[in-house]
mmCIF file of all heavy atoms in Angstrom:
data_model
loop_
_atom_site.group_PDB
_atom_site.id
_atom_site.type_symbol
_atom_site.label_atom_id
_atom_site.label_comp_id
_atom_site.label_asym_id
_atom_site.label_seq_id
_atom_site.Cartn_x
_atom_site.Cartn_y
_atom_site.Cartn_z
ATOM 1 N N GLU A 170 -19.026 4.541 6.440
ATOM 2 C CA GLU A 170 -19.992 5.121 7.376
ATOM 3 C C GLU A 170 -21.413 4.918 6.874
ATOM 4 O O GLU A 170 -22.307 4.571 7.646
ATOM 5 C CB GLU A 170 -19.739 6.620 7.563
ATOM 6 C CG GLU A 170 -18.616 6.912 8.518
ATOM 7 C CD GLU A 170 -18.502 8.381 8.833
ATOM 8 O OE1 GLU A 170 -19.479 8.958 9.363
ATOM 9 O OE2 GLU A 170 -17.437 8.951 8.561
ATOM 10 N N SER A 176 -18.538 4.530 12.270
ATOM 11 C CA SER A 176 -19.285 5.733 12.620
ATOM 12 C C SER A 176 -18.313 6.787 13.129
ATOM 13 O O SER A 176 -17.213 6.465 13.571
ATOM 14 C CB SER A 176 -20.344 5.422 13.672
ATOM 15 O OG SER A 176 -19.732 4.938 14.845
ATOM 16 N N THR A 177 -18.731 8.033 13.042
ATOM 17 C CA THR A 177 -17.908 9.134 13.521
ATOM 18 C C THR A 177 -18.463 9.628 14.846
ATOM 19 O O THR A 177 -19.650 9.921 14.955
ATOM 20 C CB THR A 177 -17.888 10.291 12.502
ATOM 21 O OG1 THR A 177 -17.325 9.820 11.281
ATOM 22 C CG2 THR A 177 -17.055 11.450 13.006
ATOM 23 N N ILE A 178 -17.591 9.693 15.825
ATOM 24 C CA ILE A 178 -17.918 10.262 17.125
ATOM 25 C C ILE A 178 -17.222 11.619 17.152
ATOM 26 O O ILE A 178 -16.003 11.688 17.012
ATOM 27 C CB ILE A 178 -17.409 9.374 18.294
ATOM 28 C CG1 ILE A 178 -17.844 7.927 18.117
ATOM 29 C CG2 ILE A 178 -17.842 9.951 19.631
ATOM 30 C CD1 ILE A 178 -19.328 7.691 18.101
ATOM 31 N N ARG A 179 -17.998 12.652 17.295
ATOM 32 C CA ARG A 179 -17.504 14.018 17.110
ATOM 33 C C ARG A 179 -16.148 14.286 17.763
ATOM 34 O O ARG A 179 -15.245 14.810 17.126
ATOM 35 C CB ARG A 179 -18.537 15.010 17.614
ATOM 36 C CG ARG A 179 -18.147 16.440 17.348
ATOM 37 C CD ARG A 179 -19.276 17.347 17.590
ATOM 38 N NE ARG A 179 -19.955 17.540 16.316
ATOM 39 C CZ ARG A 179 -21.044 18.236 16.157
ATOM 40 N NH1 ARG A 179 -21.612 18.789 17.196
ATOM 41 N NH2 ARG A 179 -21.582 18.380 14.986
ATOM 42 N N THR A 180 -15.951 13.926 18.998
ATOM 43 C CA THR A 180 -14.690 14.254 19.680
ATOM 44 C C THR A 180 -13.673 13.112 19.654
ATOM 45 O O THR A 180 -12.529 13.309 20.031
ATOM 46 C CB THR A 180 -14.960 14.630 21.147
ATOM 47 O OG1 THR A 180 -15.615 13.535 21.787
ATOM 48 C CG2 THR A 180 -15.805 15.886 21.239
ATOM 49 N N SER A 181 -14.092 11.935 19.200
ATOM 50 C CA SER A 181 -13.208 10.769 19.287
ATOM 51 C C SER A 181 -12.706 10.257 17.947
ATOM 52 O O SER A 181 -11.838 9.395 17.908
ATOM 53 C CB SER A 181 -13.943 9.616 19.987
ATOM 54 O OG SER A 181 -14.331 10.011 21.270
ATOM 55 N N GLY A 182 -13.282 10.706 16.850
ATOM 56 C CA GLY A 182 -12.870 10.214 15.540
ATOM 57 C C GLY A 182 -13.781 9.097 15.070
ATOM 58 O O GLY A 182 -14.911 8.940 15.527
ATOM 59 N N ARG A 183 -13.266 8.300 14.165
ATOM 60 C CA ARG A 183 -14.064 7.206 13.592
ATOM 61 C C ARG A 183 -13.863 5.924 14.393
ATOM 62 O O ARG A 183 -12.753 5.574 14.759
ATOM 63 C CB ARG A 183 -13.659 6.971 12.138
ATOM 64 C CG ARG A 183 -14.212 8.027 11.224
ATOM 65 C CD ARG A 183 -14.103 7.576 9.777
ATOM 66 N NE ARG A 183 -14.798 8.481 8.907
ATOM 67 C CZ ARG A 183 -14.274 9.593 8.408
ATOM 68 N NH1 ARG A 183 -13.047 9.927 8.693
ATOM 69 N NH2 ARG A 183 -14.997 10.360 7.605
ATOM 70 N N MET A 184 -14.997 5.239 14.595
ATOM 71 C CA MET A 184 -14.995 4.009 15.373
ATOM 72 C C MET A 184 -15.620 2.886 14.548
ATOM 73 O O MET A 184 -16.536 3.116 13.764
ATOM 74 C CB MET A 184 -15.823 4.183 16.644
ATOM 75 C CG MET A 184 -15.512 5.431 17.449
ATOM 76 S SD MET A 184 -13.902 5.371 18.214
ATOM 77 C CE MET A 184 -14.278 4.445 19.664
#
Side-chain angles (χ1 to χ4, degrees):
E170 280 188 60
S176 61
T177 299
I178 309 298
R179 185 168 267 177
T180 58
S181 301
R183 284 195 172 85
M184 311 291 277

